[in-house]
Amino acid sequence: MKYHIRQDAGKPAYLQLYEQLRRDIVAGVLPLNAKLPSKRLLAEETGVSVITVEHAYAILCDEGYIEARQRSGYYVIYRERDFLTGSEAAVVTAPGAGPLRTDREEFPFPQIARTMRKVLADYGENILVKSHDHGCVQLRMAIAAYLARSCGISALPEQIVIGSGAEYLYSLIVQLLGSECGFALEDPSYEKIRQVYRANGAACDLLALGADGIRTAELERTSAKVLHITPFNSFPSGITASVSKRQEYLRWADRRQGWIIEDNYDSELTVSRKNEDTVFSLSANGRVIYLNTFSRTVAPSIRVGYMVLPERLLEPYREKLDFYSCTVPVFEQYVLTELLNSGDFERHINRVRRVRRKAKGQ
């Protein structure tokens, strides 16, 4: 056994052992799926207690380097790609589709697995309790805090509604605002937006995009009262609306006593060192519904979205839609709560942004 504990090292024995094991895991001496020595064997070889080894292993588990398998022992789950920084990765792009997720942009699986284990341990049978109809209050509080510090959106938890993905939330919006309003969409835009609105009985008007957003003449032409926009990296055009254009959208809504649906599915993955200003945060008259999901930032299988309602729409929402139960499993809501509160979510976002800046030579 090559691990040694020094009495004069000035560090606790468990920390010395942890650092030596982590070094070998990162270096590939202990590769993916390698089985670690049993706690008793390692304790005997290094002259420490089993509890000391257990403590070192627990830290490695918490940090996603190893995992305990029932009746089998501890195994390495570290993969280099899960811990790469921006200077070590590149982004693949597709014509007209904007940046694609690469393996190095995926949310590190060990962190998700560790968070799931923590939720099971900390929340216990509470994951079996039905959530509030708007979503678990813990997740709505975590989202409110995240939005405040990341993009200047000031919202109370009661303004946030959790739902199973953006498409479900689109249908709620039609029911809230009324299909008779008429909905205007960017042209081109994500096809499912139009499909969901039409399936809910709303007429859709497609407005041509210019270099910095929807053309002014198109905004004036439409008779719609609801404008659905993707102001950052609109799909499939990749167009980002300028600040002037975002202000123009707000004036459009004010003049018509209409509404803006701000769909910011990709906004957090900007290469800028600060998040783009949201239309919601620029609005002074409360005519913007902000919508985002975790499918892009965490994993496509996480079918969790949220919308932030302006305060003036809270009472209409209660009157029309409060009978709906939240469609997202409580367990997933608590996992997202922990990712947000622990800082893991933002660390991942910042890492991906560094990757993209490096790829663009910024």
Side-chain angles (χ1 to χ4, degrees):
M1 183 68 60
K2 60 180 179 178
Y3 301 114
H4 304 283
I5 304 302
R6 292 175 50 196
Q7 300 302 318
D8 60 348
K11 292 181 180 179
Y14 78 87
L15 194 55
Q16 293 183 56
L17 186 56
Y18 153 77
E19 290 177 347
Q20 293 175 56
L21 287 164
R22 184 185 64 178
R23 178 198 62 207
D24 281 356
I25 292 170
V26 172
V29 176
L30 292 171
L32 180 67
N33 293 321
K35 183 176 182 180
L36 274 66
S38 70
K39 291 181 288 185
R40 187 171 301 279
L41 175 61
L42 191 52
E44 291 175 354
E45 293 284 349
T46 56
V48 299
S49 69
V50 172
I51 292 175
T52 296
V53 177
E54 193 171 65
H55 196 173
Y57 278 5
I59 298 174
L60 290 166
C61 284
D62 286 343
E63 294 186 349
Y65 290 99
I66 66 173
E67 70 176 4
R69 297 177 185 172
Q70 194 171 17
R71 298 187 182 90
S72 182
Y74 291 84
Y75 291 81
V76 174
I77 58 173
Y78 169 86
R79 294 176 298 179
E80 184 181 10
R81 74 185 191 197
D82 293 332
F83 293 82
L84 287 175
T85 62
S87 62
E88 299 168 298
V91 175
V92 179
T93 58
L100 295 176
R101 292 170 66 95
T102 68
D103 282 346
R104 293 173 183 181
E105 289 191 8
E106 295 291 340
F107 203 105
F109 177 75
Q111 291 181 6
I112 296 178
R114 182 173 72 246
T115 302
M116 288 179 171
R117 292 192 295 268
K118 177 175 171 54
V119 167
L120 289 172
D122 293 352
Y123 289 80
E125 293 184 0
N126 285 329
I127 67 171
L128 304 178
V129 178
K130 181 181 181 293
S131 79
H132 186 283
D133 289 343
H134 289 199
C136 292
V137 66
Q138 294 93 331
L139 178 55
R140 290 186 284 123
M141 290 175 65
I143 290 173
Y146 166 71
L147 291 174
R149 63 180 178 261
S150 68
C151 52
I153 288 180
S154 178
L156 299 171
E158 51 262 39
Q159 291 175 250
I160 298 172
V161 178
I162 309 297
S164 52
E167 293 148 29
Y168 170 76
L169 296 174
Y170 298 158
S171 67
L172 289 184
I173 289 170
V174 178
Q175 295 172 64
L176 173 62
L177 301 181
S179 59
E180 69 281 358
C181 289
F183 285 66
L185 315 178
E186 298 167 335
D187 185 20
S189 62
Y190 182 47
E191 178 64 14
K192 282 194 177 182
I193 301 173
R194 182 180 61 83
Q195 290 174 336
V196 172
Y197 285 154
R198 286 186 173 175
N200 281 272
C204 295
D205 192 1
L206 302 181
L207 310 185
L209 286 167
D212 68 341
I214 298 171
R215 294 174 180 169
T216 299
E218 292 286 87
L219 289 170
E220 296 301 322
R221 173 186 64 77
T222 185
S223 60
K225 288 290 187 69
V226 182
L227 181 65
H228 189 121
I229 57 172
T230 308
F232 175 76
N233 194 27
S234 180
F235 180 84
S237 67
I239 291 172
T240 292
S242 65
V243 173
S244 296
K245 182 61 68 174
R246 296 175 197 213
Q247 293 287 359
E248 184 179 355
Y249 293 156
L250 289 170
R251 291 193 296 271
W252 179 93
D254 288 342
R255 287 197 307 270
R256 298 183 180 222
Q257 299 294 288
W259 303 98
I260 294 173
I261 314 303
E262 182 178 15
D263 195 343
N264 258 13
Y265 79 102
D266 199 36
S267 61
E268 286 136 325
L269 300 182
T270 172
V271 297
S272 172
R273 296 185 184 274
K274 67 176 287 295
N275 284 343
E276 304 286 335
D277 290 327
T278 64
V279 179
F280 189 101
S281 64
L282 295 172
S283 173
N285 296 323
R287 293 199 166 273
V288 182
I289 299 173
Y290 180 87
L291 193 149
N292 210 330
T293 81
F294 293 98
S295 300
R296 179 83 170 155
T297 48
V298 178
S301 62
I302 303 294
R303 303 303 302 162
V304 182
Y306 62 91
M307 64 179 174
V308 184
L309 298 170
E311 291 189 66
R312 66 196 303 165
L313 282 178
L314 290 181
E315 189 57 36
Y317 186 92
R318 293 188 191 103
E319 292 174 357
K320 294 181 179 181
L321 302 173
D322 245 8
F323 63 90
Y324 276 111
S325 297
C326 182
T327 53
V328 178
V330 169
F331 177 70
E332 290 187 20
Q333 294 190 59
Y334 286 148
V335 168
L336 290 170
T337 300
E338 292 297 322
L339 290 176
L340 288 166
N341 288 341
S342 68
D344 283 346
F345 180 78
E346 282 164 273
R347 281 189 287 273
H348 169 67
I349 293 297
N350 290 333
R351 180 174 63 84
V352 173
R353 287 164 71 168
R354 289 196 300 271
V355 167
R356 294 187 170 191
R357 282 199 296 271
K358 179 67 174 178
K360 289 180 174 289
Q362 298 181 0

